[in-house]
């Protein structure tokens, strides 16, 4: 299996259900050791996906179908990256640092989690909006409310990380390199960038002829690489936590 096709994932096919997504994430949890870097991200993301399912079942979204479609298309990007690696292929560039460093003893759990979030929100979320629009037959602006609602759930992901993986205040000193890394990345800015990238990519796909397709491909490739570069920075080995 080669690298994931950035444009056709899920196009024209029904998305998985939230339950199917969480089942796959639970299966990963049983396959990977606890200290595995990808497993660290997987555990946090599993919690968030369960929360999306709970809210959907409880009427917590204005348009349940749109919100669930977006959330599942989003998750499918992560699942496809895992499948690509398992099949001996290459995931998108944004995911490669996490898979390459997943067993590095000098990278802390918090770094693994942030690198996964960076890849998933910085790159996958933008493409998931496009995937969802194709599935639902709508424009990105028609998904803006659902984008914001799903984004609110993603905030739980960051909170979960801080609760479970953040060193105690007596350990996280100003001079600690981890403190510096935490200040270099923002979930809120990543979400804003994902929305802008999604709208831009959608417009590029609407440019008639081959020119539009080429521009969209170049835009997606550059987005992928730039997010991957940030992920590699976030995974700078720091040594074991003090």
């Amino acid at each position: 299996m080669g690298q994931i096709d950035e444009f056709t994932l899920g196009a024209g096919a029904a998305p998985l259900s939230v339950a199917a997504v969480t089942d796959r994430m639970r299966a990963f949890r049983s396959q990977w050791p606890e200290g595995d870097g990808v497993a660290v991200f997987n555990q946090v993301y599993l919690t968030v996906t369960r929360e999306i399912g709970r809210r959907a079942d409880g009427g917590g979204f204005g348009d349940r179908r749109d919100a669930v479609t977006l959330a599942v298309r989003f998750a499918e990007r992560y699942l496809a990256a895992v499948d690509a690696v398992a099949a001996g292929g290459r995931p998108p560039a944004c995911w490669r640092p996490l898979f390459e460093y997943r067993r590095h003893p000098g990278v802390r759990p918090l770094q693994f989690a942030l690198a996964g979030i960076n890849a998933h929100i910085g790159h996958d979320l933008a493409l998931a909006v496009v995937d969802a629009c194709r599935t639902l037959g709508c424009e990105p602006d028609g998904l803006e409310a659902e984008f914001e609602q799903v984004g609110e759930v993603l905030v739980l992901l960051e909170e979960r990380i801080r609760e479970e993986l953040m060193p105690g205040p007596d350990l996280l000193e100003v001079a600690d390199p981890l403190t510096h890394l935490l200040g270099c990345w923002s979930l809120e800015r990543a979400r804003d960038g994902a929305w802008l990238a999604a709208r831009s990519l959608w417009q590029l796909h609407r440019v008639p002829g081959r020119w539009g397709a080429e521009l969209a491909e170049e835009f997606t490739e550059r987005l992928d690489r730039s997010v991957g570069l940030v992920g590699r920075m976030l995974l700078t080995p720091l040594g074991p936590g003090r």
Side-chain angles (χ1 to χ4, degrees):
M1 179 176 180
Q3 183 173 328
I4 297 169
D5 187 324
E6 298 288 359
F7 302 105
T8 61
L9 179 64
L16 298 172
S17 66
V18 173
V21 168
T22 56
D23 284 347
R24 293 219 50 204
M25 291 183 191
R26 278 196 295 267
F28 295 154
R29 185 176 60 181
S30 66
Q31 296 169 11
W32 300 330
E34 185 175 349
D36 182 288
V38 184
V40 171
F41 168 76
N42 186 78
Q43 181 58 38
V44 176
Y45 191 35
L46 174 59
T47 300
V48 172
T49 306
R50 284 171 171 165
E51 175 62 18
I52 289 175
R54 187 190 69 78
R55 292 193 183 193
D57 292 340
F61 294 112
D63 189 313
R64 183 185 186 279
R65 176 171 177 262
D66 287 1
V68 169
T69 298
L70 175 58
V72 172
R73 287 303 191 202
F74 185 34
E76 285 175 336
R77 289 272 165 187
Y78 162 62
L79 298 178
V82 174
D83 288 344
V85 174
R90 299 183 76 195
C94 62
W95 283 106
R96 288 173 205 161
L98 181 60
F99 283 95
E100 291 171 6
Y101 283 79
R102 65 192 300 177
R103 296 180 180 87
H104 196 295
V107 179
R108 303 182 193 178
L110 179 56
Q111 292 175 260
F112 288 129
L114 288 179
I117 297 170
N118 170 69
H120 202 37
I121 295 180
H123 171 266
D124 292 356
L125 184 54
L127 273 61
V129 170
V130 175
D131 292 338
C133 286
R134 289 172 170 173
T135 300
L136 297 167
C138 68
E139 300 280 328
D141 287 350
L143 278 181
E144 186 170 9
E146 288 69 35
F147 179 92
E148 292 299 328
Q149 289 177 315
V150 171
E152 291 172 3
V153 181
L154 291 175
V155 172
L156 295 176
L157 187 151
E158 187 174 35
E159 293 175 352
R160 177 80 177 225
I161 286 173
R162 293 185 181 277
E163 289 175 0
E164 295 190 356
L165 303 178
M166 182 78 79
D170 56 328
L171 298 178
L172 194 60
E173 301 172 357
V174 173
D176 192 314
L178 185 57
T179 306
H180 175 72
L181 285 180
L182 289 174
C184 292
W185 190 87
S186 163
L187 185 148
E188 183 177 356
R189 289 196 297 269
R191 282 175 53 197
D192 290 344
W195 180 245
L196 177 60
R199 295 184 66 186
S200 300
L201 186 58
W202 185 260
Q203 291 302 319
L204 290 175
H205 279 301
R206 298 181 66 178
V207 175
R210 182 177 177 181
W211 178 243
E214 290 178 349
L215 285 174
E217 182 177 3
E218 181 177 355
F219 179 91
T220 305
E221 182 180 353
R222 289 180 181 271
L223 175 66
D224 187 20
R225 290 181 178 179
S226 63
V227 172
L229 181 62
V230 174
R232 200 165 294 278
M233 177 200 70
L234 291 171
L235 291 171
T236 300
L238 303 177
R242 290 174 292 172

